[in-house]
Amino acid sequence: MCQLLGMNCNVPTDIVFSFTGFATRGGRTDVHADGWGIAFFEGKGVRHFVDYEAAVASPIADLIKRYPIKSRNVIAHIRKATQGRIALENCHPFVRELWGHYWVFAHNGDLKDFAPPLNGAFRRVGTTDSEWAFCYLLQELRRRFGDSPPAQPALTAALRELCRDIAAHGTFNMMLSDGSALFAHCSTDLHYIVRQHPFSTAKLSDEDMSVDFSTVTTPNDRVAIIVTAPLTTNEDWTRFTAGELKVFVDGMPVA
Amino acid sequence: MCQLLGMNCNVPTDIVFSFTGFATRGGRTDVHADGWGIAFFEGKGVRHFVDYEAAVASPIADLIKRYPIKSRNVIAHIRKATQGRIALENCHPFVRELWGHYWVFAHNGDLKDFAPPLNGAFRRVGTTDSEWAFCYLLQELRRRFGDSPPAQPALTAALRELCRDIAAHGTFNMMLSDGSALFAHCSTDLHYIVRQHPFSTAKLSDEDMSVDFSTVTTPNDRVAIIVTAPLTTNEDWTRFTAGELKVFVDGMPVA
């Protein structure tokens, strides 16, 4: 199994604090040492970093912890290999282009007997069930909606249906973003928190590190953090229910 | 205009020496300060770094200069914007998936009245003529060869024809790789060198830096470096002729 971290904000925000706690689970406070990755949207562009080294040992993860890349949508992943060998092409998140936008996807879980036909528009490069699920999702979105993206409610309804079908094959905790929204589906473990005015101090559970967000924010900032297991010890995280798909826009879940 | 750097090797090799000289042209010894990028194949996977900062000022470029990522195929680019604003989505190289392989592409030049129809399989995310040309190349390869890649001679013949057509619209110096070969097309400026046994010392033209390759190689290693303008002052670089497409495999051009 693996762990997921996502961030969705109304203004570009850095993820240094949350990523520092999360990356510690990649080989130090937890066992997810078979690679890691993170993708940041900046406008329509994506910065994509993957590594098959443990996040705690990776020079690139070290850079991310020191270099505050600001983004409105971020997805990160630390890997404990279940299907697919330890190799760069099997590291999440995965990136593809659909409708002239990049899409970023990461998955935690294990799918059994999951082999839907892929028509060739999106094919996996590696050997994971996760990348297969991502290619299938994009293929089905394109099949349903053709050459243009639908409005968000229709997109969400389609993703809810597709996630339910995929999750019938096993555990399908996943995060997906096209840069405008972050979609998160929970089979077993996902939690989120919305940080907004009045901001307070948060304390990491995996590192001896605190941040007083009131000193680094404006009253209009809003940030949603979505993660497999809560990252801080002194905040109220909301647990997703099994089978739930939530859509985050501008730093909060939308109905 | 921009500058291109490519490396193709028979064993995984780091590009620290060549990239150090090349990145210096990204804002210090030359004017290409509107972003940069580099992509490394590792097996079937790709490490992809792009930035809209000048390469001389970028913390990520600094990491690449210090962290010896080993790869058999690398493509790098420093940008002087002609078409498309300075933004992450307009930084080369671009990456897409075709036939279950990642493809990496970078372009130097300017295409006029170039707007071939794209059928939707590959669409540009940014606003450059370069990304349009890349999407068109992949679309046409898929249209010609269907769901499976052809043997390399047929692929090369198709790329030669497509590059000739695109180059009719302006300057089309480009590099393309699927991780097994590096294709380089020259309209105006491309040079290459093959470094192999007996290795000697090379001296950068843009930095006060030399490397004695005989101390860091084995007699079986072979490395081809392809670049817009020669990177060293004491080696014999071969200039491409206008309209030429060369294919590099295992560190040397193939017939």
Side-chain angles (χ1 to χ4, degrees):
Chain A
M1 300 287 276
C2 311
Q3 290 208 10
L4 298 169
L5 168 64
M7 182 177 77
N8 169 270
C9 322
N10 66 343
V11 293
T13 304
D14 81 66
I15 197 169
V16 169
F17 176 74
S18 295
F19 183 72
T20 299
F22 185 68
T24 304
R25 298 175 183 173
R28 187 169 302 143
T29 57
D30 211 332
V31 296
H32 312 283
D34 298 335
W36 68 280
I38 191 167
F40 304 79
F41 279 93
E42 272 187 60
K44 295 188 73 182
V46 169
R47 293 184 197 262
H48 180 223
F49 302 89
V50 281
D51 207 347
Y52 48 73
E53 289 194 73
V56 293
S58 161
I60 301 172
D62 195 50
L63 175 78
I64 306 294
K65 282 187 265 183
R66 289 182 292 107
Y67 179 45
I69 297 170
K70 296 202 174 211
S71 171
R72 290 182 57 194
N73 285 284
V74 180
I75 293 177
H77 183 270
I78 46 178
R79 182 160 188 248
K80 177 81 183 77
T82 51
Q83 293 186 31
R85 67 190 182 95
I86 299 172
L88 196 64
E89 66 267 25
N90 287 335
C91 292
H92 310 217
F94 301 99
V95 183
R96 291 288 191 283
E97 173 266 319
L98 169 65
W99 297 322
H101 293 268
Y102 292 120
W103 292 70
V104 169
F105 171 89
H107 167 223
N108 149 16
D110 203 10
L111 301 172
K112 306 285 188 199
D113 305 318
F114 176 75
L118 297 178
N119 64 19
F122 302 94
R123 280 164 63 175
R124 63 177 185 168
V125 173
T127 52
T128 63
D129 52 347
S130 309
E131 192 183 8
W132 198 322
F134 180 37
C135 291
Y136 176 71
L137 278 175
L138 296 185
Q139 166 183 300
E140 293 305 300
L141 290 179
R142 182 147 186 240
R143 194 177 58 76
R144 288 176 188 217
F145 299 111
D147 279 343
S148 313
Q152 200 165 89
L155 180 61
T156 302
L159 283 170
R160 189 163 279 134
E161 202 180 305
L162 290 164
C163 286
R164 192 193 56 211
D165 294 349
I166 296 171
H169 291 268
T171 307
F172 192 59
N173 302 304
M174 76 92 192
M175 294 184 188
L176 175 73
S177 179
D178 64 348
S180 65
L182 193 151
F183 302 88
H185 179 267
C186 175
S187 281
T188 54
D189 292 299
L190 270 188
H191 300 75
Y192 79 95
I193 193 167
V194 173
R195 295 193 182 118
Q196 57 192 339
H197 184 78
F199 289 94
S200 59
T201 296
K203 190 183 170 329
L204 287 183
S205 49
D206 295 80
E207 285 268 4
D208 183 15
M209 182 173 172
S210 299
V211 167
D212 179 357
F213 285 111
S214 70
T215 64
V216 291
T217 50
T218 76
N220 297 323
D221 294 1
R222 193 170 51 225
V223 177
I225 301 285
I226 309 103
V227 69
T228 300
L231 285 166
T232 57
T233 51
N234 65 332
E235 296 178 297
D236 284 329
W237 293 79
T238 303
R239 191 182 179 112
F240 282 57
T241 58
E244 192 176 16
L245 178 84
K246 281 189 182 293
V247 189
F248 294 85
V249 177
D250 290 336
M252 59 187 297
V254 295
Chain B
M1 300 288 277
C2 312
Q3 290 207 10
L4 298 169
L5 168 64
M7 181 176 78
N8 169 271
C9 323
N10 66 343
V11 293
T13 304
D14 81 64
I15 197 168
V16 168
F17 177 74
S18 295
F19 183 73
T20 299
F22 185 67
T24 304
R25 298 175 182 174
R28 186 170 300 143
T29 57
D30 211 331
V31 297
H32 312 281
D34 298 335
W36 68 280
I38 190 167
F40 303 79
F41 279 93
E42 270 187 62
K44 294 187 74 181
V46 169
R47 295 184 196 261
H48 180 222
F49 303 88
V50 280
D51 206 347
Y52 47 73
E53 290 194 73
V56 293
S58 161
I60 302 173
D62 195 48
L63 176 78
I64 306 294
K65 282 187 265 183
R66 288 182 293 107
Y67 178 45
I69 296 170
K70 296 202 174 209
S71 172
R72 291 181 57 193
N73 284 284
V74 180
I75 293 176
H77 183 269
I78 47 178
R79 182 160 187 248
K80 178 81 183 76
T82 49
Q83 293 186 33
R85 66 191 182 96
I86 300 171
L88 196 62
E89 66 267 25
N90 287 336
C91 291
H92 310 218
F94 302 99
V95 183
R96 291 289 191 282
E97 173 265 319
L98 170 66
W99 297 321
H101 292 268
Y102 292 121
W103 292 70
V104 169
F105 171 89
H107 167 223
N108 149 13
D110 202 11
L111 302 172
K112 305 286 188 199
D113 304 318
F114 177 74
L118 297 177
N119 64 19
F122 302 94
R123 280 164 62 174
R124 63 178 185 169
V125 173
T127 52
T128 62
D129 52 346
S130 309
E131 193 184 7
W132 198 322
F134 180 37
C135 292
Y136 175 72
L137 278 175
L138 295 184
Q139 164 183 300
E140 292 305 300
L141 290 179
R142 183 146 184 243
R143 194 178 58 76
R144 288 175 187 216
F145 299 111
D147 280 341
S148 312
Q152 199 164 89
L155 180 60
T156 302
L159 283 171
R160 188 163 280 135
E161 202 180 304
L162 290 165
C163 286
R164 192 195 54 213
D165 293 349
I166 296 171
H169 292 268
T171 308
F172 193 59
N173 302 305
M174 77 92 192
M175 293 183 189
L176 174 73
S177 179
D178 64 348
S180 66
L182 193 150
F183 302 88
H185 179 266
C186 175
S187 280
T188 54
D189 292 301
L190 269 188
H191 299 75
Y192 79 94
I193 192 167
V194 173
R195 295 194 182 118
Q196 58 192 340
H197 184 78
F199 289 95
S200 59
T201 296
K203 189 181 173 329
L204 286 183
S205 48
D206 296 80
E207 286 268 3
D208 183 14
M209 183 173 171
S210 299
V211 167
D212 179 356
F213 285 111
S214 70
T215 65
V216 292
T217 49
T218 75
N220 297 322
D221 295 2
R222 195 171 50 226
V223 177
I225 301 285
I226 309 103
V227 68
T228 301
L231 286 166
T232 57
T233 51
N234 64 333
E235 296 178 297
D236 282 331
W237 294 79
T238 302
R239 190 183 181 112
F240 283 57
T241 57
E244 191 176 15
L245 177 84
K246 281 189 181 292
V247 189
F248 294 84
V249 177
D250 290 336
M252 60 187 295
V254 295

